[in-house]
Amino acid sequence: RLMPGRLLKAGTEIQLPGAACVVDGFLGAGTQGEVYRASVGDELVALKWYFPEWIASDASLSDRLERSIRDGPPDPSRFLWPRLFVEASNLSGFGYVMNLRPDDYKSIVQMMNGSARPGFRALSTAGFNLATGFHALHAQGKCYRDISYGNAFFNPVTGDVLICDNDNVDIEGVKGPIQGTPDFMAPELVRGQAAPNADTDRHSLAVLLFLMFYVHHPLMGRRILKIHVFDLHARRELFGNNPVFIFDPSNDTNRAQPNDGQACTSDEAGQNALTYWAIYPNWFNELFLRAFTVGLTQPHERVKESIWKKALARLGAR
């Protein structure tokens, strides 16, 4: 049963050109607003409605949203893209309609905690599809800005992907209220020294791929064992001020640490990554070495989507 939301009630009707959008129930909420299941005629859709405080804090939101709707998705099969800008005279604020995400698409979190288990071929296909989607986005001179745990979904059987929360997509180099999620942000973004662009997206994409294939964060090694409160300050240190790859061949200060039951009693410092690093071919591991050694300090040297696509196609064909 769908729970009630804060902003809209079930049965709320919003008149659209040629049809009414009727709210069915609450699906979930985030920092920016709430998402509802709704119907437009006979079609089930998702409706995102923004919190008033978010609208007040993001001056470019409506313009950015309307531009994205006007331009259309860079890749219709891989993006859950805004379709229609929505506002109503009897409601404060605004929102947008998008397609409803199918139930058989799972999140990266579900994959990491074992509740979704893709086969190797599906995992390789999902990685290829993510890289393809971002390649198409960057070809339009846009960047995603906010790759995180909860906005990339995949079908664990087919490897099809859906990239969600696309209302943060913007022209490269434009600063805004959303700079990213620290765990996925390029170091220069965490430090406040850059605006989101294709190169910062490429760091985020590499983090996402590492999580998918090695089931661990690439910058969380033995240093995590000394952190007692994993707050924003700790994240800034790990991901911005002093990031070190857990397999950096020339810097062992943050090396992946096995769960030995003594110094390390859980998998938090990289046991999963150690297991998978030994399984994947060296040429695949080397792409992540590049992404998280030279790529941490030289944004233009990060692994481009075309290289990921070739590598993931090769990996899936093994």
Side-chain angles (χ1 to χ4, degrees):
R1 184 165 176 253
L2 298 176
M3 300 296 290
R6 166 186 149 189
L7 299 174
L8 304 178
K9 295 180 180 179
T12 298
E13 193 168 308
I14 303 170
Q15 192 60 44
L16 306 178
C21 178
V22 181
V23 174
D24 179 24
F26 177 71
L27 289 176
T31 304
Q32 299 172 317
E34 295 180 338
V35 179
Y36 296 83
R37 191 171 70 186
S39 58
V40 177
D42 295 330
E43 183 185 12
L44 283 177
V45 298
L47 171 67
K48 181 169 182 176
W49 202 262
Y50 292 99
F51 295 129
E53 58 268 28
W54 184 261
I55 293 174
S57 71
D58 187 353
S60 66
L61 175 58
S62 60
D63 289 341
R64 189 171 69 243
L65 189 55
E66 289 186 309
R67 181 177 62 236
S68 289
I69 293 168
R70 184 175 62 249
D71 292 348
D75 184 327
S77 67
R78 296 180 174 94
F79 286 87
L80 203 59
W81 201 256
R83 285 172 41 183
L84 186 67
F85 184 86
V86 176
E87 55 187 345
S89 58
N90 60 327
L91 296 171
S92 62
F94 56 83
Y96 68 89
V97 166
M98 58 186 160
N99 290 344
L100 195 63
R101 175 170 51 83
D103 291 338
D104 54 357
Y105 278 75
K106 308 301 180 182
S107 70
I108 301 303
V109 173
Q110 289 173 294
M111 188 198 73
M112 293 185 69
N113 68 21
S115 61
R117 297 182 179 275
F120 178 73
R121 182 65 58 85
L123 185 62
S124 301
T125 302
F128 177 88
N129 282 326
L130 282 170
T132 300
F134 281 96
H135 200 186
L137 181 69
H138 295 154
Q140 291 188 344
K142 297 176 181 177
C143 62
Y144 185 78
R145 304 161 66 95
D146 190 26
I147 300 173
S148 70
Y149 295 100
N151 49 28
F153 291 82
F154 70 102
N155 183 312
V157 176
T158 65
D160 292 337
V161 302
L162 283 173
I163 301 165
C164 306
D165 293 338
N166 295 292
D167 45 353
N168 294 318
V169 167
D170 208 346
I171 305 299
E172 277 199 76
V174 174
K175 286 196 173 184
I178 287 284
Q179 299 294 314
T181 300
D183 303 38
F184 291 81
M185 287 165 65
E188 64 271 21
L189 277 183
V190 178
R191 296 192 299 264
Q193 296 172 342
N197 56 61
D199 285 331
T200 61
D201 269 3
R202 288 176 184 125
H203 172 85
S204 304
L205 176 61
V207 171
L208 186 57
L209 291 172
F210 195 89
L211 286 165
M212 291 169 61
F213 285 91
Y214 301 85
V215 200
H216 192 74
H217 195 285
L219 305 179
M220 289 172 59
R222 64 171 61 136
R223 287 166 61 193
I224 197 74
L225 300 175
K226 298 180 180 179
I227 296 174
H228 302 295
V229 180
F230 197 49
D231 56 8
L232 186 56
H233 174 78
R235 282 182 155 88
R236 283 175 176 160
E237 186 64 20
L238 278 180
F239 307 138
N241 297 336
N242 188 25
V244 178
F245 184 37
I246 60 175
F247 293 116
D248 190 319
S250 61
N251 185 342
D252 66 359
T253 61
N254 195 34
R255 191 59 49 85
Q257 184 91 0
N259 178 356
D260 57 13
Q262 298 173 5
C264 183
T265 58
S266 72
D267 298 340
E268 65 178 341
Q271 175 62 68
N272 287 335
L274 284 165
T275 300
Y276 287 104
W277 192 261
I279 293 173
Y280 291 117
N282 287 337
W283 57 263
F284 190 61
N285 291 342
E286 284 168 3
L287 288 178
F288 291 98
L289 279 171
R290 175 178 162 189
F292 299 119
T293 55
V294 63
L296 292 178
T297 57
Q298 300 179 47
H300 293 309
E301 294 300 319
R302 289 172 183 151
V303 182
K304 290 184 169 54
E305 300 88 342
S306 57
I307 295 174
W308 284 124
K309 286 165 63 178
K310 289 179 183 176
L312 289 159
R314 180 183 175 187
L315 190 70
R318 293 177 78 240

